[in-house]
Each structure stands twice: as structure tokens, then as C-alpha cells.
Amino acid sequence: MNQHYFLVAAALLSFQYANADSPDSDSCLNDTCVEYNLSGDMPDAESSIADSCMVLTACDAEQGGYGRRNEERSLFEEVTDIKKKTDAFNLYLNMQGDFNALWRGNTFSEGKFRMKQLRIEMTGQINDWLSYRYRQRLNKGDDPAGYRDNVLGSIDYAMIGITLGKWQFFLGKQCAAYGGIEFNLNPIEVLENTAITDYMSNFMTGVRAAYNFTPRQQLQFQVLNSLVGSSESMYGNWKKSKMPLLYTLNWNGDFNNFYKTKWSVSFMNETKGKNLTYFALGNEFNFTDNFGAFLDWAYTRQAVDRMGLVTKMVCPDGAEYNTTNVDYMSAIFHIHYRFHPAWNVFAKAIYDYSGIYKSHDGLEKGTYCNSWGYLGGIEYYPFKDRTLHFYAAYIGRSYNYTDRAKAFGNKDYCTNSLSVGFIWQMPVF
């Protein structure tokens, strides 16, 4: 029987590595381009589960009232009718696929089937103090030149967790401990991201320490590599920092399951003498067992434009150096109501801001782009205790450039799309 377990895992890992070099359909600083909606493809966002529950291990379930992993029999158990007796090895396949019809303004662009998310994930609790987590995107290509941390960019997690009483430590490649309710959901649960989530680097290598004051109050401190590629490819020809690191302080709170917080403040060394600050506040409200909402707010001020959006607005033909003194803000309001055990409706509004906070090199201080997103849909859960669900949703985005940005040739535009698909974190073993 042990040989059979091994063969199941080996077959899936073979599939994983056979697909790891597939070309990435999105291209830019962080897997995207400025006008990604023109193609109808959503960026391969690096939003993630930040493993920030109160009793935390590297193989914890997804957190938050919306998108929580449920207990269910694995595919192996369903096929063999043999109950798995250990938690040392768990294998999942995270999937989100749909048929998407896209309009630019009132003009129909295209309709196509997409596999937006496909990630293999392995987690395990070896004993009462040691755990591990591994997750890799199967539909994301990798740079053959490699990375500063010597880990492929398609790998989200490759880490171990150590629990010592109220203290926990996580070593290896992991998610940045940014705040935000939506940021901490499983990526397959998110249909449309903010610009900050899409363009900020979210998976990096380093160390994280967490202290659980109570079962409902936790503080985390994290240090990660800030570079996910070469300094030149990310910032242009600015002089490289000798200590390009990201420092994050994170607070996760739970007040009687009615109000939950995921707040963070981050500081990053970008290039020599240039730094980035990032604030993220996530607030979740569970009014009843079936009715809830969350409000996320994020703001980043970047001495050198790490996200690259303002640089592309003011340098449409390319630039030797990314522009400086930029800031971005995002806000999300999400509400959902499960009106039947098998049916859920939801709506979401997104606001994105891009600007320059200090005039320089002929670039005026102020707003350069305001973007709005609006979503609404319905979900059907065919099984009571399973994460498999089907959905139908409308997604609209509008991009409004100010006169400052229009002086460089930017034009307002909007997109509308209808999406019908499925989401499943399939337990393979």
C-alpha cells in the first residue's frame, strides 16, 4: 500500500515539472502588463494564504470566513475507500477555470476558455512541533536565468514551520505577511484583484516569527528578500542596494468571530538610498453565519517605482530608470450572503489610485490614474462539506487618466466581462 501512495505522489509531481516551463501568458514587472484587461487575461496575481490564523502551522487551512478549506475525503480515499491515517502528507490541486466573454467598452473583443489558476500543494504535520508546506503554480513560466534566492518564481511556498509553545517560526520561501482579508484568501477564490495585489511581489524567501498572545490575538515579524529578479529588471539602472530586504510587522486579531483584523506595516530597501513603505488594513465582519462583509485598504509609497505602473504611464516608450516618488492606494468592499446552504451571492467594489507624491524631473505632483472595479455574481456549492463550487459573475473595470497622464498619450478605457466557471481545492491525498 505504501508503494501505491508513493506512485500517486510521483505521478502528480511528474506532471508538475513537465508543466513548470510553460510560457507565462502575462508579461511585465510582476507577471502583468499595464493594460492587461485588453487581452481578457487576468494577471497571475500572487495573492495568497498568509498562514496567519491564531493556531498557526505551515499546513493550516485557508483563513477568513469566505474561502475557508472544509474537511473532506481525498480523491485517494474516495477511490480506494481506505481512510488516510496520517497528516504527514496532504496533496491538493487548486483549480479555477472558466469561460470568459470580454468587451472593451461596447465592442465585443473575444470569448474563450481559460485555466486561470492551477497550483499543486503539499502540506504536512510531521509531529507536534514540525510542519512543512510546498505550493507551485503549474501554469506560470520561469526565468531560465534563475533567481537571487535560487528558487523558481513559480514556487509560492517551500518552507518549514516550527512551533515552540506560543512561538512559531517559518523558514524558506513564503508569502509576505501583508494585511488584508482578500489578500489572505486562497488565490483561486479571487476573481479580480487590486493593482497593488497584482503588481507587488508577494512570494519571497526569508524567515517569519509569530507569537500568539491568546488564541485570538497574534503578532508576526518577518524578514524576506525584496528582489524576485535582478535589480536592473525590476528598477532599471539605479544602483543596487547591498541589503535588499523586506521587513513586515503584522497583527491578526479576532473579536468573538464578529470582527477580525489583518493589519500590517512594511518597509523595504529598493535600490541604494531608496526605500518603500507599505500599509495594509484588513477588516472582516461576520454579521450572521450566512451574511458577512470585509473592507480592505492598502497604501504604498515607493521612492523608486517598483510596481512600474506610473513609469509606463509617463514613459510609454520605455525608460532607462524607473521613475521615482510614486504612490499607490487600493480599497476593496466585499459583501456576501448565503441565502441557501448551497447558494451564495456576492458583490465587490474596487478602487485603485496611482500618482506621484513629489514633483521631479518635469513630472507634476498629483493623481495620474483612478480605476474602479465592480463585480457581482452567484455561486453554487453542490456538496455540503466541499470547497467545489460553480459560479457566474460580471466583472467591470474603468480606467480614468488625469490630464497629467493624458499628456503622455494615455486614454481612458473600460472593460466588461462575463465569466462562468468552477473553483475547487481538490484533495488528492
Side-chain angles (χ1 to χ4, degrees), residues 307-319:
M307 290 168 58
L309 297 180
V310 173
T311 297
K312 290 195 174 182
M313 291 179 201
V314 301
C315 304
D317 298 324

Side-chain angles (χ1 to χ4, degrees), residues 147-332:
Y147 296 87
R148 184 171 182 269
D149 58 4
N150 205 32
V151 181
L152 296 177
S154 62
I155 295 175
D156 295 339
Y157 290 91
M159 72 175 189
I160 64 170
I162 299 171
T163 300
L164 301 173
K166 291 186 176 182
W167 285 95
Q168 293 167 303
F169 302 91
F170 302 89
L171 315 174
K173 189 165 186 182
Q174 55 194 276
C175 177
Y178 298 145
I181 303 302
E182 184 169 272
F183 180 81
N184 288 277
L185 294 177
N186 189 325
I188 61 177
E189 297 286 349
V190 182
L191 301 183
E192 181 83 359
N193 289 291
T194 66
I196 288 180
T197 299
D198 278 336
Y199 288 85
M200 284 286 284
S201 306
N202 302 320
F203 296 105
M204 293 161 280
T205 299
V207 60
R208 173 163 47 106
Y211 182 74
N212 302 295
F213 293 93
T214 72
R216 294 179 179 269
Q217 300 293 326
Q218 182 194 67
L219 196 65
Q220 298 187 78
F221 179 70
Q222 184 184 59
V223 182
L224 302 175
N225 286 336
S226 66
L227 293 180
V228 294
S230 68
S231 179
E232 292 76 13
S233 66
M234 296 178 65
Y235 296 107
N237 290 330
W238 292 97
K239 190 169 183 178
K240 179 181 175 181
S241 170
K242 293 184 179 180
M243 289 284 286
L245 296 174
L246 167 68
Y247 308 87
T248 297
L249 184 66
N250 172 286
W251 169 52
N252 298 295
D254 184 343
F255 298 88
N256 296 322
N257 202 42
F258 171 75
Y259 174 52
K260 297 180 181 180
T261 62
K262 292 185 183 293
W263 294 6
S264 70
V265 57
S266 302
F267 177 84
M268 180 187 296
N269 305 121
E270 295 189 284
T271 61
K272 185 176 182 180
K274 305 290 186 181
N275 302 312
L276 174 154
T277 55
Y278 178 45
F279 304 90
L281 306 179
N283 305 275
E284 180 181 7
F285 302 88
N286 296 305
F287 303 110
T288 69
D289 290 341
N290 300 320
F291 178 48
F294 64 78
L295 177 64
D296 288 347
W297 176 85
Y299 175 78
T300 175
R301 178 169 283 199
Q302 304 174 5
V304 179
D305 187 10
R306 180 183 179 92
M307 290 168 58
L309 297 180
V310 173
T311 297
K312 290 195 174 182
M313 291 179 201
V314 301
C315 304
D317 298 324
E320 184 179 0
Y321 296 86
N322 283 21
T323 194
T324 60
N325 302 329
V326 304
D327 59 348
Y328 299 94
M329 183 182 72
S330 293
I332 303 171

Side-chain angles (χ1 to χ4, degrees), residues 364-418:
E364 184 183 352
K365 172 185 176 181
T367 304
Y368 278 69
C369 183
N370 292 297
S371 171
W372 292 91
Y374 23 89
L375 294 78
I378 188 168
E379 298 172 315
Y380 172 66
Y381 293 75
F383 304 113
K384 181 178 179 180
D385 297 324
R386 299 198 176 208
T387 57
L388 171 66
H389 53 285
F390 303 92
Y391 70 89
Y394 163 76
I395 303 171
R397 293 300 298 256
S398 63
Y399 297 85
N400 302 307
Y401 296 95
T402 64
D403 291 339
R404 299 180 185 90
K406 289 179 179 179
F408 295 93
N410 298 282
K411 297 180 180 179
D412 296 345
Y413 72 97
C414 65
T415 61
N416 300 278
S417 67
L418 295 175

Side-chain angles (χ1 to χ4, degrees), residues 333-372:
F333 177 69
H334 183 285
I335 189 168
H336 69 92
Y337 176 58
R338 188 178 291 274
F339 62 90
H340 182 276
W343 292 91
N344 182 68
V345 292
F346 63 90
K348 182 169 77 170
I350 299 173
Y351 172 69
D352 285 317
Y353 157 90
S354 304
I356 292 177
Y357 64 84
K358 182 179 180 181
S359 299
H360 63 90
D361 300 325
L363 298 176
E364 184 183 352
K365 172 185 176 181
T367 304
Y368 278 69
C369 183
N370 292 297
S371 171
W372 292 91

Side-chain angles (χ1 to χ4, degrees), residues 85-128:
K85 299 182 183 298
T86 178
D87 194 41
F89 179 71
N90 300 277
L91 185 63
Y92 298 91
L93 193 61
N94 298 295
M95 297 182 287
Q96 183 195 120
D98 71 356
F99 178 80
N100 182 261
L102 177 73
W103 287 260
R104 180 182 171 92
N106 296 321
T107 302
F108 180 71
S109 297
E110 65 173 343
K112 63 178 179 179
F113 292 98
R114 306 178 299 178
M115 199 67 187
K116 292 177 61 179
Q117 298 280 351
L118 185 62
R119 308 187 191 213
I120 191 170
E121 181 173 359
M122 289 176 285
T123 66
Q125 188 73 36
I126 304 302
N127 52 39
D128 60 355

